[in-house]
Amino acid sequence: MNLRSVGTIRDAQKWPKRDGRKDPEKLDCVNFNLLSPFTIQKMMKGLSTLENLRASSGELSDLYSFHSTKITNSSLKKGIKFYTIAIDKFIGNSLISRIQDPDGEFSISSEEELRNRLKPDSPIGSGEWVDVSGLIAPKSEIIALMKDVSSGYIKSLEEVNEAFATMHKNYYSYEWTWAFQHIQEIYGVNPSKMTFEDAKSIINRWKDAVVSLDKMVYDDANKEFNLASMTGYGADGGKEQKIQDFEQVRGDVENNEFVQSILRHIEIKTDLGNRALAALKECL
């Protein structure tokens, strides 16, 4: 449910801004991504659990039982919806980043070129992921590092830091390996044989996910500016005084920087999706 919360998005934006480290060689490898293989793998497990509950108890059941938890029909449907939206957004982000040129344009001349761009750079990243004090990395690499330390192959803290830095540097390469592995599981599309139509379908789902999530966050942000949120403002006056007092302190929704950033994000991502779709359409 927090995926549509303005507080979650504020937190995702807040922590990178609070990172005041100036040295280009940062000792702590911290990944601030809200959506990553680490979080998406949990959502996929949650989605599978909810879908299995619905299949075993029937779509018309009023209540679903999971261990000691009771889930209403409407909550189960919302859970499936939000998990699906987040997964679509993450996979679409990874796909678009993969087919985009370094200058941000899309110039793919054939489906063979599309498939070549989608080939993973490394086999690392396909399994489970972990969060190690802010470093988001494949579990296989953390286990390999632990074995190297315990065997004596790695003998110093400098070498440990170097191993962490390598994982951090290669995050997006590892992320794509994970996404590539799961595209068929999620969409029934073999990425090694992906067509332009397959790519367009995933990008359309991504665009719908981005816009719908942003609109939900926008609606949640608007709640901060309704009368119910103005309690304590203009206590010695009427409704108009309450609104004026509130706007003096908090501003109004039309000029709120965060609200405006959501609207800009919708425009930017919609344009990005449209450019990717147009480039693929030209090749058909």
Side-chain angles (χ1 to χ4, degrees):
M1 296 300 289
N2 284 328
L3 285 169
R4 65 177 185 176
S5 165
V6 65
T8 301
I9 304 305
R10 278 202 179 116
D11 282 347
Q13 296 177 354
K14 173 177 65 181
W15 295 114
K17 292 177 181 177
R18 289 187 177 181
D19 185 354
R21 295 175 294 173
K22 305 299 182 185
D23 195 313
E25 295 185 15
K26 298 177 174 62
L27 294 179
D28 291 305
C29 298
V30 181
N31 187 323
F32 294 105
N33 289 358
L34 176 63
L35 300 181
S36 69
F38 175 70
T39 51
I40 296 298
Q41 70 188 5
K42 294 175 181 291
M43 295 182 196
M44 290 179 65
K45 289 179 182 177
L47 178 60
S48 177
T49 297
L50 295 179
E51 288 178 335
N52 288 337
L53 283 174
R54 184 169 64 177
S56 62
S57 299
E59 292 190 20
L60 301 180
S61 177
D62 292 330
L63 278 176
Y64 299 89
S65 297
F66 181 69
H67 300 300
S68 60
T69 303
K70 301 295 184 183
I71 306 172
T72 63
N73 187 296
S74 61
S75 293
L76 184 131
K77 287 179 179 177
K78 286 180 182 178
I80 291 175
K81 174 185 174 183
F82 292 142
Y83 280 145
T84 300
I85 286 173
I87 293 167
D88 285 343
K89 181 175 180 180
F90 171 78
I91 296 294
N93 279 339
S94 293
L95 177 66
I96 288 176
S97 297
R98 195 71 187 180
I99 65 176
Q100 208 171 9
D101 297 334
D103 60 0
E105 297 301 319
F106 298 92
S107 56
I108 300 174
S109 58
S110 67
E111 289 186 338
E112 182 180 0
E113 183 182 352
L114 171 67
R115 293 167 192 146
N116 284 334
R117 290 200 187 189
L118 297 183
K119 288 179 181 177
D121 306 315
S122 166
I124 299 172
S126 60
E128 185 181 352
W129 282 56
V130 292
D131 178 356
V132 185
S133 299
L135 169 67
I136 299 174
K139 187 176 181 179
S140 61
E141 293 307 284
I142 300 299
I143 291 175
L145 173 60
M146 292 166 64
K147 287 181 178 178
D148 285 343
V149 171
S150 62
S151 69
Y153 180 76
I154 288 181
K155 300 180 175 66
S156 68
L157 287 175
E158 287 76 17
E159 290 176 296
V160 172
N161 280 340
E162 185 178 340
F164 284 145
T166 298
M167 294 179 210
H168 190 54
K169 179 182 178 181
N170 293 326
Y171 167 80
Y172 286 105
S173 175
Y174 299 162
E175 179 197 83
W176 175 246
T177 300
W178 189 92
F180 185 90
Q181 179 197 32
H182 288 86
I183 283 176
Q184 182 155 0
E185 177 185 348
I186 297 168
Y187 302 114
V189 173
N190 184 344
S192 299
K193 300 178 181 179
M194 186 175 290
T195 65
F196 285 137
E197 286 297 339
D198 294 331
K200 285 172 61 181
S201 175
I202 293 174
I203 291 171
N204 272 317
R205 289 184 63 146
W206 167 84
K207 192 168 73 167
D208 290 342
V210 170
V211 172
S212 61
L213 264 181
D214 277 351
K215 286 183 176 178
M216 284 188 277
V217 173
Y218 176 79
D219 291 339
D220 194 48
N222 276 329
K223 293 177 184 177
E224 296 184 353
F225 295 89
N226 60 28
L227 279 174
S229 301
M230 298 181 186
T231 303
Y233 291 90
D236 55 347
K239 178 180 175 181
E240 292 301 320
Q241 182 62 43
K242 180 189 291 283
I243 294 173
Q244 290 176 15
D245 193 10
F246 180 85
E247 289 181 352
Q248 286 294 319
V249 177
R250 300 283 297 277
D252 60 89
V253 66
E254 288 80 10
N255 297 305
N256 181 265
E257 182 180 351
F258 180 79
V259 172
Q260 293 305 309
S261 72
I262 298 172
L263 297 177
R264 286 194 300 271
H265 189 261
I266 292 175
E267 292 178 3
I268 292 169
K269 293 301 183 181
T270 299
D271 176 68
L272 177 63
N274 289 339
R275 287 193 292 111
L277 292 170
L280 294 173
K281 185 177 181 181
E282 288 177 5
C283 298
L284 290 172

